[in-house]
Amino acid sequence: PAGAPGEAADAAALDAIAVGPWLAGAVADPAARERIALHAELVFAVDPAGLSLLDYLARLGATGGFAPRGPDLPGGGRDHRFVGGAQRLALGLADRVGDAVRLGEPVAAIEAAGDALAVRGPAGSHAARRVVLAVPPSLAGPIAPALPAPLRRFAAAIQRGAVVKCFAAYDRAFWRDAGLSGEAYRPRGTVRAVVDASPPDGAAAVLLAFVVGPAADAWQGRDPAERRGELLDALAELFGDAARAPRDYLEADWAADPWSAGCVASTPPGALTAGVVWRGAHGGIHLAGTEAAVRWPGYMEGAIEAGERAAAELLAALAR
């Protein structure tokens, strides 16, 4: 069922096994096993050996399978990039709100205070009738002790997949001269996927490589020069020796970012059949963020859906 995988008739059996062991026992063709495992790694950024099969199948169902097509976009939630960066969405919304946006005040705790909520941070405490919590569950649970205990336990069980984005910039898109798109997927090795991330103004040509799962977990512990060399070697294997000489190179490690602490969320075997869903209003706290989406969980489209739902819940509650 959409948004409630724990209610499936065979939920307990599916949630009791991980994707990796299931593939080994159920899929005879080695190429098929390898490709499904690669898909699971790229969608959840975790080792399939620790990913609930129920969670994986639920995500496939919620996003339209291996080749989704959304009602409004040709490729659904996986189709578009934002010129100027995705942060333009947040900046545009902040401009409409003006001075009401408080910067440099990360929330340390949301606690019950009589009939209200106390939102505590480094600049003091704010009183609120309602709070929309639109951060990953693994960050939300520790700061919101007012949430019901089953929700906090569920948040603690959720895994935050590790992802490192590695950008290599060149003067020209040499791969296109060879008739290559710049998009590649590798079931083995450190680099799992590559896309052409060149800006539309042509100021540079950029290949973006993704390191996910266990390789990304260990990324920060490795020597930076070694990391760079291995990454460029992988690009050269795919697109030719010119890939070894970028004019610039940059890494963005989501797991090292304290405000995300990782990438897309997933659950290990056994967590979903507890019957808890990360959604709805709980004692004045409304859960949002992409993890609360019914359609496109884990994607920006899901974040928008969950935000609109939380806003509607909040407005309905304040109108009573």
Side-chain angles (χ1 to χ4, degrees):
E7 296 178 9
D10 51 355
L14 294 173
D15 198 34
I17 188 170
V19 172
W22 178 82
L23 284 173
V27 181
D29 185 277
R33 284 200 306 270
E34 198 171 62
R35 293 183 185 192
I36 295 172
L38 172 63
H39 180 261
E41 277 195 310
L42 289 174
V43 170
F44 289 98
V46 296
D47 188 330
L51 172 63
S52 161
L53 179 59
L54 178 62
D55 198 5
Y56 179 61
L57 296 177
R59 183 66 56 87
L60 280 178
T63 57
F66 292 112
R69 300 188 67 81
D72 303 314
L73 299 174
R78 296 206 286 256
D79 192 67
H80 285 58
R81 293 177 61 241
F82 290 84
V83 177
Q87 70 271 15
R88 289 184 61 187
L89 284 177
L91 294 173
L93 290 169
D95 285 343
R96 294 169 58 182
V97 179
D99 292 340
V101 175
R102 304 291 186 96
L103 300 178
E105 293 191 32
V107 173
I110 302 168
E111 300 168 343
D115 294 331
L117 293 166
V119 183
R120 307 189 192 283
S125 180
H126 301 283
R129 285 182 289 169
R130 299 272 165 172
V131 171
V132 175
L133 203 52
V135 296
S138 57
L139 298 182
I143 66 172
L147 287 173
L151 264 178
R152 287 188 282 112
R153 286 194 295 269
F154 182 65
I158 289 177
Q159 305 168 125
R160 297 296 297 168
V163 173
V164 182
K165 292 183 174 181
C166 303
F167 299 83
Y170 305 88
D171 291 325
R172 50 191 292 276
F174 57 86
W175 54 91
R176 297 179 194 165
D177 298 337
L180 300 176
S181 66
E183 185 170 358
Y185 299 92
R186 304 171 82 235
R188 292 176 298 279
T190 299
V191 173
R192 283 293 191 255
V194 183
V195 295
D196 185 333
S198 303
D201 61 9
V206 180
L207 289 173
L208 165 56
F210 293 86
V211 180
V212 302
D217 276 328
W219 198 249
Q220 286 299 316
R222 298 178 56 188
D223 177 73
E226 179 188 279
R227 298 194 310 246
R228 185 181 189 274
E230 183 173 351
L231 193 287
L232 296 179
D233 283 346
L235 294 181
E237 180 185 326
L238 293 165
F239 305 112
D241 284 343
R244 288 193 170 91
R247 78 181 195 194
D248 202 359
Y249 175 79
L250 175 70
E251 296 176 355
D253 188 342
W254 284 27
D257 183 337
W259 309 120
S260 65
C263 192
V264 65
S266 67
T267 59
L272 287 178
T273 44
V276 178
V277 293
W278 188 260
R279 196 177 304 121
H282 305 272
I285 298 176
H286 299 257
L287 298 179
T290 187
E291 296 84 2
V294 174
R295 286 281 295 162
W296 292 108
Y299 294 83
M300 291 182 65
E301 184 71 17
I304 293 170
E305 173 213 302
E308 290 176 339
R309 184 188 308 109
E313 292 169 352
L314 184 148
L315 292 171
L318 292 178
R320 288 199 291 268

